[in-house]
Structure formats: structure tokens, C-alpha cells
Amino acid sequence: MAIAVGAHPILAPGWSGKEHTDIALVDCDVHQTVEKMDDLIPYMSRIYAQQAREQGFRLAGSGYFNVAGDIARQDLAETDCDGKHSGHHVGYRYEQLKAQHLDIWNVDKVLLTGASTYGASVLPDPDFAADMCRAFNDWTIDQWLDNDDRLLAAISVNVNDPQSAIAEIERLGPDPRVRAVMLPTGSRMPYGNRFYHPIWEACEHNGLVIGIHPGNEGAGMAGPPTGVGYPTYYIETRMARPQMAMAHAVSFIAEGVFEKFPGLKVLIDECDQFWAVGLMWHMDADWKSLRDQTPWLKRLPSEYFRGHIRVGTQPMLEPETNEQFWMMLNALHAEETLVYSSDWPHWDWDDPASTFPKLPERLHRRVFADNARELFGL
Amino acid sequence: MAIAVGAHPILAPGWSGKEHTDIALVDCDVHQTVEKMDDLIPYMSRIYAQQAREQGFRLAGSGYFNVAGDIARQDLAETDCDGKHSGHHVGYRYEQLKAQHLDIWNVDKVLLTGASTYGASVLPDPDFAADMCRAFNDWTIDQWLDNDDRLLAAISVNVNDPQSAIAEIERLGPDPRVRAVMLPTGSRMPYGNRFYHPIWEACEHNGLVIGIHPGNEGAGMAGPPTGVGYPTYYIETRMARPQMAMAHAVSFIAEGVFEKFPGLKVLIDECDQFWAVGLMWHMDADWKSLRDQTPWLKRLPSEYFRGHIRVGTQPMLEPETNEQFWMMLNALHAEETLVYSSDWPHWDWDDPASTFPKLPERLHRRVFADNARELFGL
């Protein structure tokens, strides 16, 4: 496979293909994962390393089968960069990301969103969970960030233990490569709840974005992944992603998080986009009747959304007609709210060239670079 | 207030106002409620009547405050049909519905969707719950259906007890005025789960639609009303309605309910509409990769949706632009899926004249009458 490196952009349908000197392509969802959880053990405290070595990591499962074959791209598994078949769980080596994503697509910046430790926030023991998060963050710095200045990290924290989450934010927040915390959609409470506000205060103080990504839905203490209990099939849990995104987004807004922490931004990845449109319309309509219950809100709910919440492109909605597609981008205020996300290396990832038809120049810049640059202060 | 009776249609913006001889206006969500739960006691079995009299009905609350003032229209409370102020809980007398809704708006058929007994399905004792449902249904027949042939009923059943639910469907299903069962959105499992299939079989056999309406969210055994736990404010529970609608709809489809019971139809009221558009798009895209997990599905998920699920108009989505409004109706396939619902007599109800701008003649007929006529076999 021919690989274009560096400043040689791809020519493909919908892709501008222009040469550039500044940041023109930011990918807001790239997963780095450990090949096996034991890879974290060298980075862990002695007692927790021992527990993990002897009894495993005790991560809660949800019981839903993913797609047949592999959750990662099988084409990558078969063409690993050093020529040998890499098997399952593609995404555990920097060199692969470099060769098979960054260089091919000429990506300028990526947000590493992890995955291995999303389950930390539904583990019973908060100290074990925090140690696991710390280990994963140190592994990420060691194995990924130190290799390439295109890499940014959304660090792992146990969001259900504000004390350890804040300590980790204070420890790593000053590193300029750390730009976000990463939380799973599946949670015990909606993330606007005041229980979490001390964490959000630390995020704002350290300039970290709150990243939210599918994970933990239906697992352990996260409880059922829909408002009507546990569904049966994996496709239902995928349809639950926009539901969870809605619940978190309205919670941030209704609880006044963005009045309390005006510098705070939220990125919601891999939950599709249409939910944001309907939520803005419905919230604004209802708020006009119910605003006395949340008097700290000074503006329309949709204004908080547009000012503070960003939505990843993957999976990009697939309307029946082109007209509907353009209208939905418009209704989403995509020029403010939408950021390109690939979800590399998962099977349902979206490459930067064919996610969209050719966008107008300005919208292309906003979605592929400028919205993310503003979000992460690049 | 001048009241137009019978064949004298209202002239108002968006309303065709034409004289008609056949069914031209069907309202798929009108709430009849008991003034106080004790009104059901004369209709109950002796032991349960005694329990209710001595200790109340023990309905689970969710703790969320509704709008300030009253959940019902205060204008109705102040202009009760016999001239006296009726106080709270408007909607407990047929005469009021007749004078202040049916006659004013020249409504041809309404589906009585209840409300008083939605909580039955999260009561611990299934026999008490079933008795309460039976009593409410008999009260509805006695106090409402027997007065007016414009009235149809969605009967109350305890959906978490298939045996009693089926017994009640068999008891009342043969009554031609009974056209649906009524279920609350808040539930212990998504309604496509095979636990419920014997009830759906009885519904299909008796020609009853499955009606779903907000209720029980966050109450008792229904568990948390979102996939991420309990939100804090009422507006969040309102935003949870489309989330719950999505979870139920995808469950019906993924579990193959419409392959198993091809005559079955579902009506989802008061959850808005946009969710249905996004769900159809997202389900179709995902199903192409995941269809091996639900091999009983023979068609695209959206085809099951369009063939079997109907969505009430109230609250009608309020996009930012007219262009978006028309596009959403189009994307929803409103000519097949959308049925007029008023939610009378609640504060956020939608009257039939101003819910829409003037619709094209054919679409007007479909939304205000023909979709519901086909749904209920009128």
C-alpha cells in the first residue's frame, strides 16, 4: 500500500486536497489501547499491580456482542506496519497509528481518547480505579505522546471519585499535550449533576475539555443503558448512544454548569449528531414554560449548547436525501458545533476524505480544523 | 365563549375549515382522569377496595415537579362548563371534554388515553395493580364511553404482568370502542422484549394498538428515566421522553415483534417527533453491519418503523426555520407516521388549528384523520 507522508495531501472525493502549512486536519477521536490490560501493571502502584496480576482487572462487562469478526478494522490487522498479522485489538502501537492514519491522511493533530480504562468509573474500589487511570495515562505519555507532537491526550479519570479525578487533573493538566479528560457515556448520574462540579472546576482551571464517548453502557454500577431498562441486542445499545448524549447534554445545561464554569467545553464523540438538533429545538420550547425551575439560566438552552458543546462527526448521520443532509448540518449549526472524528481504528470508523461530500470551503475549515482548534486552544 | 357544535368547523390559521361528512379530525391523545383515586373504589374488588380505602393506592412518585400552577390548563379550570371554578386536575368529567374540546373543535373521534393508572405497572402487587386497571377501565366505560360515540378507549393494563394484561385484553377487546392498550414510557424493560410478546399476541388478536405515553419515568420499579441515571429537573425528564421512545421503538424492531405479529401497530404519544427521524437513519446504517445478530429481520429497520409505528404530533417540534420544519415532516414520512394528538387538557396541549401552518390538502388529511383511521381501523 502506497503511503503519503507529511505534507502530501490525499486527493479523494469531498476532500479539498490543498497543500497547507498550518493546522488543517484535527481528528477528535483516535483510540490508543493496551494490547492486554497487564501492560499497565508496570505503571501501577505495588498493591494494585499485585491485585491485577493475581486476579485481573475485574472490569464490568455489559454482555452485548459487538460486530462479527473484530471491533477493530480487519484490514489494519492484516496489513500491520511491520508486515505481520497483528490479530485483534488493533490500535495498541503508536507506529501503526503513524503509518496507517497520521501519515496516510496527513493528520495534523489527533486527540487520543483511550478506551482501555473507561471501565474505571464503574469499579467499586475508587483507589484501584484511580491507580488504573494513572497507569494508563502514564503509559499513554510514555508509549504515545513522547513519540510525536501531533498527539494530544484526553486523560482517563474516575469520574465517580472527584478527589482522585481532581488529583489526576492537577498532576497532568499542566502538560500542554493534555487537553481533555475522557469519560464514558455510561454513568451513574448525568454529568451535569453537582456531584461532579468540583471536577469540572478543575477542568476549567486546567483548560481541559470534558470528552464523552460510548463506554460502560449497561456495565456494572452504570446501571441500565436506556431509560427503560436493559435492551437485548447490540444495535439497541448503539441506538442508546444518542439517548445518553441527550441526557448528559441537557443535564450540563439545566444544572447551570456553563454559567458556573463559563470556560468549560464538552466534546461528545461517537453518538451521531441528529439528537443535538432535536434537543436544541425541544429544550428551547420547553424552557420557555419551565425556566422558573432553573433560574440560573440566562440564555436559551440552545445558546449554551452552541457555545459549549461540540459533537464528533463519527458516525455521520446518513439521511435519505442530500437535501436533508445539508439541512441537518445547517440545523446543527455545524459551523460551530461539529468536529471531525475518525474513531480510528474501529470497524465503523470514518476516514476524513469520504465522511462528507465536498463541503463549502469555510464549513470544511470549521469542521476539520477550526472548531477543534478553538475547542482545544491550538 | 361562543361554542360551535357539531358540523360547524372552526376557521383558524392552518385549519382547512371545510365542512365534512366523514371522519376528518381524530385526536389520538385525550386524557380522562379520576378527580381522586378513591373514585375507583366502587369499581374495585372488595379486598383491594379495602386496602385502597384504608391505605391509599401507594402509587410510586418520581419526585419531579411539573410546571408551576397546574399540570392542566388553567383557562379550563376557570371556565368549567357549569360555571364554577373546577380547581386542579381538569379532565375528570365527560361534559367538560364535550363542551371544551369535542364540540369546539368539531372532533370526530378521540382516543382516551387515561393517566390515573399508568402507575399500575410499577406497583409491586400485580393483583392489586390489575384490579386498579380493571376498575379504571370500567369507570371509563361507565363515565365516558357510554356518553358519546366519538369516544374510543386505550385501556389500562399492567404490562409487567402478562397474565392479567391478557385477561383484561380478552375481557374488553371485543368492545368496538376499545382500540388500544395504554402503556407508560417508564418501564422495567424495553417493550420489544420477549417477556411482553404474549401480551402483544393478545393485542394483535383483538385488533388493539399498543399505545405508549409518558408516565412512570423514574418512578418506583421503573428505575432511572435515562440511560445515565436520574436527572435533577423536570425539563430533563421531558427531554428523556424522546430517549425512552427511541429505546422502545428500536426494541420492537430489533426483537422482531413486527415479523412475529405482522398486524401489530404502535402509537407513541407526547415524545415529540425528531427522534424518529434520527432513529430511522441511524438504525438503517447500523443494521447493514449488524444484521447477522437479528436475522429474523427481513427489511430495513426504517421500513418496520414506517409500517408499524405512529407518532403523535404533540408536542410538535419547533425548528428554527420553516424550511427545516417542512424538511423534518418529509424526513419523518409524516404522511404515513404522524397522527394528530392534542394532549387535552394538559398545560402544554396543542389545539388542532394552530399546531401546524397550513398543510397541503393530502398531508392534512393523513395527519388529522387518515393515518389514525388506518391505525384504529375506523
Side-chain angles (χ1 to χ4, degrees):
Chain A
M1 184 177 201
I3 291 175
V5 180
H8 301 283
I10 291 289
L11 292 170
W15 183 244
S16 71
K18 289 182 185 153
E19 305 257 346
H20 63 270
T21 50
D22 62 349
I23 295 174
L25 177 57
V26 181
D27 182 348
C28 294
D29 186 21
V30 162
H31 295 287
Q32 87 281 24
T33 52
V34 290
E35 183 173 4
K36 48 190 190 308
M37 289 300 287
D38 280 359
D39 294 346
L40 293 182
I41 289 177
Y43 297 89
M44 293 174 74
S45 306
R46 199 181 66 171
I47 173 66
Y48 299 121
Q50 181 186 340
Q51 284 185 358
R53 193 181 299 111
E54 290 172 356
Q55 303 183 42
F57 282 74
R58 305 262 159 171
L59 297 174
S62 63
Y64 297 100
F65 285 97
N66 204 304
V67 75
D70 196 338
I71 69 162
R73 287 166 56 190
Q74 297 191 50
D75 62 317
L76 291 188
E78 287 162 17
T79 58
D80 198 3
C81 49
D82 53 8
K84 69 173 202 290
H85 192 295
S86 66
H88 292 275
H89 304 302
V90 180
Y92 49 78
R93 288 197 308 125
Y94 157 70
E95 291 74 16
Q96 187 183 42
L97 174 66
K98 176 181 177 348
Q100 297 183 339
H101 189 61
L102 303 184
D103 292 349
I104 287 185
W105 300 103
N106 201 18
V107 183
D108 296 301
K109 293 284 179 188
V110 304
L111 184 71
L112 296 176
T113 52
S116 310
T117 50
Y118 287 2
S121 60
V122 291
L123 278 172
D125 179 344
D127 293 313
F128 178 85
D131 200 60
M132 191 173 92
C133 289
R134 257 194 312 273
F136 183 74
N137 294 333
D138 287 342
W139 173 85
T140 296
I141 291 169
D142 195 22
Q143 301 288 320
W144 297 76
L145 295 188
D146 285 348
N147 288 312
D148 196 319
D149 63 8
R150 288 173 289 188
L151 305 181
L152 305 172
I155 59 172
S156 184
V157 299
N158 174 6
V159 73
N160 280 312
D161 177 26
Q163 292 179 37
S164 74
I166 292 167
E168 189 65 352
I169 289 165
E170 301 292 354
R171 183 175 79 95
L172 295 180
D175 186 326
R177 301 167 300 182
V178 171
R179 299 290 173 132
V181 295
M182 207 66 215
L183 312 176
T185 47
S187 70
R188 293 153 71 185
M189 285 184 284
Y191 286 139
N193 192 288
R194 64 181 67 175
F195 169 85
Y196 302 111
H197 290 197
I199 311 179
W200 306 157
E201 185 177 25
C203 284
E204 188 192 42
H205 183 252
N206 284 275
L208 302 192
V209 170
I210 301 170
I212 300 175
H213 186 289
N216 281 5
E217 47 272 37
M221 296 192 298
T226 83
V228 302
Y230 291 90
T232 304
Y233 300 105
Y234 175 58
I235 193 171
E236 297 176 79
T237 69
R238 290 172 71 94
M239 298 307 110
R241 295 172 182 176
Q243 299 166 38
M244 292 185 283
M246 290 174 69
H248 286 309
V250 64
S251 172
F252 279 117
I253 293 167
E255 300 255 8
V257 169
F258 303 124
E259 282 292 336
K260 208 164 168 183
F261 309 112
L264 201 63
K265 298 283 175 75
V266 174
L267 164 64
I268 303 183
D269 266 333
E270 202 171 343
C271 293
D272 85 27
Q273 301 80 38
F274 74 86
W275 62 269
V277 173
L279 184 67
M280 284 192 273
W281 292 343
H282 198 159
M283 269 194 300
D284 281 359
D286 280 8
W287 177 74
K288 289 167 190 167
S289 302
L290 299 168
R291 55 192 290 185
D292 59 337
Q293 295 185 355
T294 54
W296 39 85
L297 300 187
K298 311 296 184 209
R299 297 183 283 147
L300 280 170
S302 64
E303 294 179 53
Y304 291 107
F305 194 104
R306 290 168 58 181
H308 295 270
I309 301 181
R310 299 294 172 260
V311 179
T313 54
Q314 187 272 338
M316 195 61 213
L317 49 81
E318 299 184 32
E320 289 185 86
T321 69
N322 288 338
E323 181 196 7
Q324 290 166 353
F325 182 80
W326 293 110
M327 201 290 295
M328 287 301 288
L329 288 187
N330 184 258
L332 179 64
H333 296 274
E335 77 287 354
E336 297 171 345
T337 62
L338 192 62
V339 295
Y340 170 67
S341 299
S342 72
D343 192 34
W344 187 92
H346 293 154
W347 64 270
D348 51 348
W349 85 306
D350 286 337
D351 73 62
S354 59
T355 297
F356 290 95
K358 177 139 180 63
L359 298 177
E361 180 69 19
R362 183 182 137 76
L363 182 58
H364 182 101
R365 289 279 319 173
R366 299 296 308 174
V367 171
F368 283 97
D370 290 350
N371 285 341
R373 291 174 73 176
E374 290 171 14
L375 180 64
F376 297 115
L378 303 175
Chain B
M1 183 178 201
I3 293 176
V5 180
H8 302 284
I10 290 289
L11 292 171
W15 183 245
S16 70
K18 291 184 182 149
E19 304 256 348
H20 63 270
T21 50
D22 62 348
I23 295 175
L25 177 56
V26 182
D27 182 347
C28 295
D29 186 21
V30 161
H31 295 286
Q32 87 281 24
T33 52
V34 290
E35 183 173 3
K36 48 190 190 308
M37 289 301 287
D38 280 359
D39 294 346
L40 293 182
I41 288 177
Y43 297 88
M44 293 173 75
S45 306
R46 199 182 65 170
I47 173 64
Y48 299 122
Q50 182 186 339
Q51 285 185 358
R53 193 182 299 109
E54 291 172 355
Q55 302 182 43
F57 282 73
R58 305 262 160 171
L59 297 174
S62 63
Y64 296 101
F65 286 97
N66 204 303
V67 75
D70 196 336
I71 69 162
R73 288 165 55 191
Q74 297 192 49
D75 62 317
L76 292 187
E78 286 162 19
T79 57
D80 198 3
C81 48
D82 53 8
K84 71 172 200 291
H85 192 295
S86 65
H88 292 274
H89 303 302
V90 179
Y92 49 79
R93 290 198 307 126
Y94 158 71
E95 291 74 14
Q96 187 183 41
L97 174 67
K98 176 180 176 350
Q100 298 183 338
H101 189 61
L102 302 184
D103 292 349
I104 286 185
W105 299 102
N106 200 19
V107 184
D108 295 302
K109 294 283 179 187
V110 303
L111 184 72
L112 296 176
T113 52
S116 310
T117 50
Y118 287 2
S121 61
V122 292
L123 278 172
D125 180 343
D127 293 313
F128 178 85
D131 200 61
M132 190 173 92
C133 290
R134 256 194 313 272
F136 183 73
N137 294 333
D138 287 341
W139 175 85
T140 296
I141 291 168
D142 196 22
Q143 300 288 321
W144 297 76
L145 294 188
D146 285 348
N147 288 313
D148 196 319
D149 64 9
R150 288 174 289 188
L151 306 182
L152 305 172
I155 59 171
S156 185
V157 299
N158 174 5
V159 72
N160 280 311
D161 177 26
Q163 291 179 38
S164 73
I166 292 166
E168 188 66 353
I169 289 165
E170 300 293 351
R171 183 174 80 94
L172 295 180
D175 186 327
R177 301 168 300 183
V178 171
R179 300 289 174 133
V181 295
M182 207 66 215
L183 312 175
T185 48
S187 71
R188 291 152 72 184
M189 284 183 284
Y191 286 138
N193 192 288
R194 66 181 66 176
F195 169 86
Y196 302 112
H197 290 197
I199 312 178
W200 306 159
E201 185 177 23
C203 284
E204 187 191 41
H205 183 251
N206 285 274
L208 303 192
V209 170
I210 302 169
I212 300 175
H213 186 288
N216 281 6
E217 48 271 38
M221 296 192 297
T226 83
V228 302
Y230 291 90
T232 304
Y233 300 105
Y234 175 58
I235 193 170
E236 296 176 80
T237 70
R238 289 172 70 94
M239 298 306 111
R241 294 172 183 178
Q243 299 166 39
M244 292 185 283
M246 290 173 69
H248 286 308
V250 64
S251 172
F252 278 117
I253 293 168
E255 300 255 9
V257 169
F258 304 123
E259 281 293 335
K260 207 165 168 181
F261 310 112
L264 201 62
K265 299 283 175 78
V266 174
L267 165 65
I268 303 183
D269 266 333
E270 202 170 343
C271 293
D272 85 28
Q273 302 80 37
F274 74 87
W275 62 270
V277 173
L279 184 67
M280 285 192 273
W281 293 344
H282 198 158
M283 269 193 303
D284 281 359
D286 280 9
W287 177 75
K288 289 167 189 166
S289 303
L290 298 168
R291 53 191 292 186
D292 58 336
Q293 295 185 356
T294 54
W296 38 85
L297 300 187
K298 312 296 185 207
R299 297 182 283 147
L300 279 171
S302 65
E303 294 179 53
Y304 291 106
F305 195 103
R306 290 168 57 181
H308 294 271
I309 300 180
R310 299 294 171 258
V311 179
T313 53
Q314 188 272 339
M316 195 60 213
L317 49 81
E318 299 184 32
E320 288 182 87
T321 69
N322 288 339
E323 182 197 5
Q324 290 166 352
F325 182 80
W326 293 110
M327 200 290 295
M328 287 301 290
L329 287 187
N330 184 259
L332 179 63
H333 296 275
E335 76 288 354
E336 298 172 346
T337 61
L338 192 61
V339 296
Y340 170 66
S341 299
S342 72
D343 192 35
W344 187 93
H346 293 156
W347 64 270
D348 50 348
W349 86 305
D350 286 337
D351 73 61
S354 59
T355 297
F356 289 96
K358 177 136 181 66
L359 298 178
E361 179 69 19
R362 183 183 138 75
L363 182 58
H364 182 102
R365 289 279 318 173
R366 299 295 310 173
V367 171
F368 283 97
D370 290 350
N371 286 341
R373 291 174 72 176
E374 290 171 13
L375 180 63
F376 298 116
L378 301 176

